[in-house]
Amino acid sequence: MKKFPLHWQIFVALILGILYGAFLSDYVGYVGWMGDIFLRALKMIIIPLVVSSMISGVTNVGTSENLGRLSMKTFSFYILTSLIAILTGLIAVNMVRPGIGADLGLKQAVTGISAIEKPFSDILLEIIPTNIFTSLSNGEMLPIILFSILFGFFIIRSNERSKVFLTNLFDSIFDVMMKITLFIINFAPFGVFGIVAKQISHSGDILHLASTMGIYMVTVLGALLIHFFVTMPLIVKFIGRINPVKHLRAVMTPLLTAFSTSSSSATLPLTIQAVEKECGVSNKISSFTLPLGATINMNGTALYECIAVIFIAQAYGVDLTFSQQIIVVFTALLSAIGSAGIPMAGLIMMTIVLTAVGLPLEGIGLILSVDRILDMFRTATNVWGDTCAAVVIAKSEGEILKV
Ligand code: ASP
């Protein structure tokens, strides 16, 4: 008998999780632990996976010239697609104007979110770790990635004996990490069921939320869907010369996991697995582009920041001028790059955009109630963007893919 494909198993688990969370919310304690175990297992492997994957990626790229070209392509792709996503959001929010007449009385108290007041130069400076072990233990992705790239780069430049030894060592560690990933992925349906059941049981009265925040949610979802189903497939088709439907099928498992966990970082092991094994992208390209993508390439988050901030401005009756909207575009890009790949990170980083155009931080209280639901959709869009980048870049490097 043919095995029921994993992404379908996850899909069924997702539906069952929604039903369980909605109708048996009092008994969520019986199943929530499955989600907790799955998430902890994914988090357990992220750091060693990112380090070994980046180092083996860079060493396999071979020369500094190749590395330079690959980095240029990767960064340009990430920034360009994020900007397109933001513009899609900008157009949608200006057309629908969901904030006009929004009831400010529905605002919730915001606790634990304070403005990120660090100047941007400090944020850049912190990419250089003063102690790599502190960064590793705190899971600070950008410093870890920078260090790994440097480490890999200088492996290429070291003497033959060290080069062979270290390249083999990190390739082998990466191999083992992927084996552990495969083992954990088997439990994804149970994990997703637990996570979703718990999440749904905590998200209050969804019908009520949909009726009060409906237009806002539809604007965000509509713009995300356009980016997901129109913009990215067009890029994949015309720039990558790849069939977007086949590609979508190949990455269904990470997409559903991203949707359920709302975390691109936690999904990274599954993303690497699918892009390498299902799409046929070389380890060299996926190892370099995907960990970086899960950290800085957030198309969905970027789009969301733009819509949310302009929604808040509309609700407060503030008419943002053209130049203020341009500021929103660029700060939304920066804050999406700076958002960690964890649930609701985008909401916290939104303080940067709000502060930049002088809107009150309490505005976040307006969108708080629906953020967690929208987070699921934007995280799936983020991961989709990463996988599209990997296949397009692989194709441009002359690789022959399975999709
Ligand atoms: N949850 C998102 C992610 O992990 C980030 C965000 O927008 O909150 O990709």
Side-chain angles (χ1 to χ4, degrees), residues 261-266 294 297-298 300-302 304-305 339-348 371 375-376 378-380 382-383:
T261 58
S262 291
S263 168
S264 351
S265 283
N297 183 40
M298 307 227 171
T301 304
Y304 177 72
E305 305 266 303
S339 294
I342 54 172
M344 294 175 93
L347 193 74
I348 297 163
D371 184 76
D375 197 3
M376 302 170 87
R378 63 180 192 254
T379 308
N382 291 345
V383 172

Side-chain angles (χ1 to χ4, degrees), residues 212-259:
T212 51
M213 294 295 285
I215 307 180
Y216 168 69
M217 291 174 82
V218 168
T219 315
V220 174
L221 293 180
L224 283 174
L225 289 179
I226 292 175
H227 188 76
F228 193 112
F229 285 110
V230 182
T231 312
M232 292 316 286
L234 285 176
I235 293 178
V236 167
K237 183 157 178 47
F238 290 106
I239 302 186
R241 307 243 159 244
I242 293 157
N243 182 336
V245 180
K246 276 192 183 167
H247 174 54
L248 178 65
R249 264 197 228 126
V251 296
M252 220 45 197
T253 301
L255 289 183
L256 288 171
T257 311
F259 183 79

Side-chain angles (χ1 to χ4, degrees), residues 260-275:
S260 321
T261 58
S262 291
S263 168
S264 351
S265 283
T267 310
L268 180 63
L270 288 85
T271 316
I272 297 181
Q273 150 74 19
V275 167

Side-chain angles (χ1 to χ4, degrees), residues 50-60 62-64 67 71 75 125 127-130 132 141-158 166-167 170 287-288 292:
V50 168
V51 172
S52 59
S53 143
M54 286 303 292
I55 295 179
S56 85
V58 171
T59 49
N60 288 317
T63 60
S64 40
L67 186 64
S71 325
F75 281 108
L125 200 64
I127 296 179
I128 304 172
T130 48
I132 186 62
M141 283 306 177
L142 282 174
I144 295 175
I145 288 178
L146 178 78
F147 184 82
S148 307
I149 292 179
L150 269 180
F151 199 84
F153 183 72
F154 284 98
I155 289 180
I156 305 175
R157 309 199 135 207
S158 58
L166 288 172
T167 305
F170 281 100
S287 288
F288 182 78
L292 201 61

Side-chain angles (χ1 to χ4, degrees), residues 16-84:
L16 291 177
I18 293 176
L19 294 175
Y20 193 104
F23 297 111
L24 297 168
S25 57
D26 293 341
Y27 305 99
V28 86
Y30 292 115
V31 297
W33 57 271
M34 290 193 244
D36 296 339
I37 292 182
F38 181 61
L39 271 181
R40 288 188 75 101
L42 285 176
K43 287 182 186 156
M44 168 181 87
I45 55 176
I46 292 171
I47 305 288
L49 182 68
V50 168
V51 172
S52 59
S53 143
M54 286 303 292
I55 295 179
S56 85
V58 171
T59 49
N60 288 317
V61 169
T63 60
S64 40
E65 191 193 313
N66 286 349
L67 186 64
R69 191 185 60 241
L70 193 59
S71 325
M72 269 303 284
K73 278 188 194 170
T74 309
F75 281 108
S76 320
F77 193 98
Y78 288 165
I79 291 182
L80 224 78
T81 47
S82 298
L83 277 175
I84 297 176

Side-chain angles (χ1 to χ4, degrees), residues 110 113-116 312 350-352 354-355 359-365:
V110 221
I113 294 184
S114 52
I116 297 172
I312 292 171
M350 195 179 295
T351 56
I352 294 185
L354 287 172
T355 319
L359 286 166
L361 292 187
E362 301 84 67
I364 287 182

